[in-house]
Amino acid sequence: MSNNPGFDCRKDFPILERKIHGKELIYLDNAASTQTPRQVVDTIGAMYFTHKANVHRGVHTLSMEATGLQEAARAKVADFIGSPTTEQIIFTRGTTEAINLVASSYGELLNEGDEVILTQMEHHANIVPWQLLSQRRGIVIKVVPITANGQLDMDAFKSLFSPRTKVVSVCHVSNVLGTINPIKEIIDMAHRHGAVAVIDGAQAIAHIKVDVKALDADFYLFSSHKMYGPCGVGVLYGRKELLEKMPPYQGGGEMISHVSFERTTYADLPYKFEAGTPDYVDIAALTTAIDYISGIGLDRIAQHEHDLLQYTTEKMLQIPGMRIFGTAPGKSAVISFLIGNEHHYDIGLLLDKLGIAVRTGHHCAQPLMQALGIEGTVRASMAVYNTREECDNFIAALNRVASMLG
Ligand code: PMP
């Protein structure tokens, strides 16, 4: 791949060979879902054709193989994010379920009047679960504002803490602005005030090296489908003492130690939080996705995406009327924009006709849109397989769209 030294990975993604409306697909919707390499899909195939049997429930060979592969995935995830143990890795359906788990279960330990700090740039997945908790338990939500270039206003952040602050829940990287938040500083600040820090890593995990131990995070969560992995799987990392004192989130098989109609005792971690049959097929394939990322190296991926971001942003800014939302230094490769007062939907539709996949709308961040005074944006987001040629074609398409829309 020219202009993409060492990243000869496009061949692993057959979908990138597709044509859309007769044009070469340029996939720039990676913040929503990354594409999946052949290796990951091969693991899914192998799970179905060779190892499929329900986990943890059989003495037969297939069940033990499937269980071994699921638990190997847990060890792989633990190692990937620096978790001290595997029992702190809980498999969920995704980031959304992981946040709901924390809000529901850790939320049971909160009392009326306790405060949870969120930020203006959160995804709905990190807002609504806390609002549901607020309705159930009368907790109070406080919101950190953002600055003009899309960073957290850290002075305002500090001023929101009170003796009632119990939780701070913040995205590591904004899915709209691309801002990389200073989460170590935020976690330390939360701890100084006796609060726990929940970090939504959905937009970070495939782009930034995460070390939950070094960060001292209390909870860190992410989705597999945004890290070249299969859909339907997410991860909740939690601090052991917290997970141990939290009540179960859902009840059912697998999460119990003993059940009678009088009294049920629960399984040890992590199974206490994994009721029912897990998506062991896709969990096993997450191992392959992590190996894929590690094989290339997160540092190299980050460098490549940064190069594409700089290159594309500079060219975009030459287009008359271009408005980019989120210009924080060192941001991630997510570009939200509008051209003049044109509707984001029209821009997205025209780009699609030219083979370019971008996201349009509020990006599940309506409170952020309100703060920005807009209804939505067009969002282009990059991944390891994107190239400078694609960025050139994207810019050419944007110029065409801009002149078509006048
Ligand atoms: N948080 C952020 C920052 C996200 O970008 C997303 C996905 N757009 C989510 C949470 C929710 O992830 P999922 O839909 O995979 O649960």
Side-chain angles (χ1 to χ4, degrees), residues 11 37 41 57 70 72 86 112 115 119 123 139 157 181 188 195 209 326 366 380 385:
K11 62 179 185 330
V41 179
R57 287 186 197 153
Q70 171 174 287
T86 51
E112 190 172 341
E115 294 167 1
T119 85
H123 188 281
I139 60 135
F157 204 149
N181 287 322
D188 290 346
K209 179 74 194 139
Q366 283 181 341
Y385 38 68

Side-chain angles (χ1 to χ4, degrees), residues 31-33 93-99 121-126 171-176 200-204 221-226 233-234 359 363-364 379:
S33 269
R93 282 194 302 121
T95 306
T96 302
E97 189 177 52
I99 300 178
M121 64 169 83
E122 296 313 312
H123 188 281
H124 296 163
N126 195 24
C171 60
H172 192 164
V173 176
S174 160
N175 67 318
V176 176
D200 170 357
Q203 294 296 340
L221 19 108
F222 52 92
S223 300
S224 149
H225 68 97
K226 293 184 197 283
V233 181
R359 186 132 300 236
H363 314 295
C364 297
R379 182 185 70 187

Side-chain angles (χ1 to χ4, degrees), residues 379-400:
R379 182 185 70 187
S381 49
M382 282 99 174
V384 64
Y385 38 68
N386 291 123
T387 64
R388 277 199 179 200
E389 287 93 325
E390 286 185 314
C391 294
D392 285 335
N393 291 340
F394 171 56
I395 296 294
L398 274 181
N399 273 305
R400 248 181 99 180

Side-chain angles (χ1 to χ4, degrees), residues 180-202:
I180 302 176
N181 287 322
I183 52 162
K184 176 66 184 146
E185 187 184 338
I186 293 169
I187 292 166
D188 290 346
M189 197 159 66
H191 290 168
R192 278 198 303 278
H193 290 86
V196 300
V198 183
I199 308 297
D200 170 357

Side-chain angles (χ1 to χ4, degrees), residues 115-119 140-144 159-162 165:
E115 294 167 1
V116 174
I117 300 182
L118 307 177
T119 85
V140 175
I141 294 173
K142 291 180 159 180
V143 182
V144 181
S159 73
L160 289 180
F161 281 93
S162 88
T165 308

Side-chain angles (χ1 to χ4, degrees), residues 175-324:
N175 67 318
V176 176
L177 307 164
T179 309
I180 302 176
N181 287 322
I183 52 162
K184 176 66 184 146
E185 187 184 338
I186 293 169
I187 292 166
D188 290 346
M189 197 159 66
H191 290 168
R192 278 198 303 278
H193 290 86
V196 300
V198 183
I199 308 297
D200 170 357
Q203 294 296 340
I205 194 71
H207 311 279
I208 298 175
K209 179 74 194 139
V210 171
D211 183 335
V212 290
K213 190 87 180 22
L215 286 170
D216 205 16
D218 298 295
F219 299 100
Y220 194 98
L221 19 108
F222 52 92
S223 300
S224 149
H225 68 97
K226 293 184 197 283
M227 53 187 296
Y228 311 102
C231 295
V233 181
V235 171
L236 165 63
Y237 159 84
R239 189 187 294 282
K240 197 168 164 202
E241 314 84 85
L242 300 177
L243 292 173
E244 272 170 349
K245 68 178 182 190
M246 285 158 58
Y249 172 53
Q250 293 181 327
E254 207 61 47
M255 51 73 72
I256 54 89
S257 166
H258 178 78
V259 178
S260 72
F261 279 110
E262 289 70 41
R263 183 167 173 268
T264 292
T265 52
Y266 307 124
D268 291 334
L269 293 173
Y271 308 110
K272 181 171 92 170
F273 292 108
E274 291 182 354
T277 300
D279 185 354
Y280 54 87
V281 166
D282 292 308
I283 289 172
L286 176 56
T287 305
T288 312
I290 293 176
D291 283 340
Y292 191 85
I293 293 173
S294 304
I296 296 172
L298 261 175
D299 288 351
R300 292 175 72 206
I301 294 175
Q303 182 54 48
H304 173 63
E305 291 171 352
H306 184 71
D307 172 64
L308 295 180
L309 173 72
Q310 297 281 101
Y311 183 77
T312 311
T313 306
E314 273 169 33
K315 290 185 185 275
M316 281 175 78
L317 287 171
Q318 289 162 21
I319 299 172
M322 180 57 63
R323 300 155 68 196
I324 292 181

Side-chain angles (χ1 to χ4, degrees), residues 49-80:
F49 291 154
T50 313
H51 305 291
K52 189 177 174 200
N54 208 324
V55 288
H56 291 298
R57 287 186 197 153
V59 291
H60 64 82
T61 301
L62 286 186
S63 176
M64 289 196 288
E65 281 175 10
T67 305
L69 289 161
Q70 171 174 287
E71 295 313 311
R74 207 185 299 277
K76 181 67 71 175
V77 170
D79 183 54
F80 187 58

